[in-house]
Amino acid sequence: MTHDNHFAVFNYRKTAQVLASTGCKYSCSFCHESADAFLYNAPKIRQRTPDNVVKELLLRVEQGFECVFFDDSTFSQNRRWLAGFLELIKAHPALSALEWGCQTTVNDVDADLLLQMSQSGCTYIYFGIESAEPDVAHVQKVSQLRLATANDWAERLREVARWCARCGIRVGTSLQFGLGETFEQRLRTLDLIAE
């Protein structure tokens, strides 16, 4: 609250950062998000209620924020929670102009969900891609998608990116290098992101 956030992804408009949940249902080796469950005997995922989050959004709009970015590592990991949240946003006229974005993974979205998110003001999603050919020993969420080959992961990103484009949602990505991939695999990752 000591300074205004003006994010480039929202054309430098005043943006609030909100946390709706902590933790992640995945256990990727490079990420700390699921470590609280082992280190502190805490629940793997802790979520605020959709109503509580919407109350915060109403407060942020009242304070002059035009956009919100959800800093949850995997914002769409609980579909039932997200469905309730999206319905509440649609029910509040004061939130109709609020633009928002989030972080998640290509595992936890589909074409219908992305359309619903777009209709509720979502214009940007930052996906944890990690690699075009991730090692499932390190990137546990890949094995959760039950893909036949690593190439399916790249195809899943292509498919999700197409859905996002149709809905008017811009895509950002995070990558992980240093998980045992070869130089050629790194180049394939960069080529996929460029594509």
Side-chain angles (χ1 to χ4, degrees):
M1 300 302 284
T2 60
H3 68 280
D4 289 344
N5 287 325
H6 297 277
F7 285 13
V9 296
F10 298 122
N11 295 317
Y12 298 99
R13 289 181 294 147
K14 190 174 179 182
T15 302
Q17 291 174 266
V18 174
L19 195 62
S21 69
T22 60
C24 179
K25 66 184 179 183
Y26 303 110
S27 300
C28 300
S29 68
F30 55 86
C31 184
H32 68 88
E33 284 297 324
S34 60
D36 284 357
F38 323 79
L39 296 175
Y40 309 111
N41 198 27
K44 193 164 170 75
I45 301 169
R46 288 171 282 177
Q47 289 187 292
R48 297 165 58 189
T49 65
D51 185 58
N52 182 267
V53 176
V54 167
K55 285 179 182 175
E56 180 175 351
L57 298 183
L58 291 167
L59 174 63
R60 298 297 171 231
V61 167
E62 187 179 307
Q63 292 170 331
F65 289 93
E66 301 170 88
C67 307
V68 167
F69 185 77
F70 290 98
D71 278 318
D72 308 40
S73 289
T74 315
F75 185 73
S76 59
Q77 66 185 327
N78 181 337
R79 293 293 289 266
R80 188 174 49 192
W81 182 94
L82 187 55
F85 172 75
L86 295 176
E87 287 301 316
L88 287 173
I89 285 183
K90 291 176 188 175
H92 284 280
L95 298 178
S96 63
L98 184 69
E99 185 177 347
W100 60 275
C102 63
Q103 301 181 103
T104 195
T105 176
V106 296
N107 283 18
D108 294 325
V109 295
D110 58 38
D112 183 55
L113 178 63
L114 290 167
L115 180 60
Q116 291 174 44
M117 291 170 70
S118 174
Q119 292 169 345
S120 300
C122 179
T123 63
Y124 176 75
I125 300 178
Y126 186 74
F127 287 104
I129 302 305
E130 321 325 345
S131 173
E133 299 175 11
D135 174 5
V136 296
H138 291 293
V139 187
Q140 191 258 350
K141 62 190 172 188
V142 176
S143 64
Q144 291 290 315
L145 196 54
R146 294 175 178 79
L147 299 168
T149 69
N151 289 335
D152 292 340
W153 180 253
E155 186 50 42
R156 177 67 178 181
L157 170 58
R158 289 181 185 98
E159 180 178 48
V160 169
R162 285 190 295 270
W163 293 337
C164 286
R166 282 188 214 127
C167 296
I169 296 175
R170 294 164 291 125
V171 171
T173 60
S174 68
L175 306 174
Q176 292 288 333
F177 295 109
L179 299 176
E181 73 281 354
T182 66
F183 179 75
E184 290 75 21
Q185 287 174 311
R186 290 180 187 186
L187 291 179
R188 283 192 287 277
T189 297
L190 295 175
D191 288 343
L192 175 65
I193 299 305
E195 178 191 329

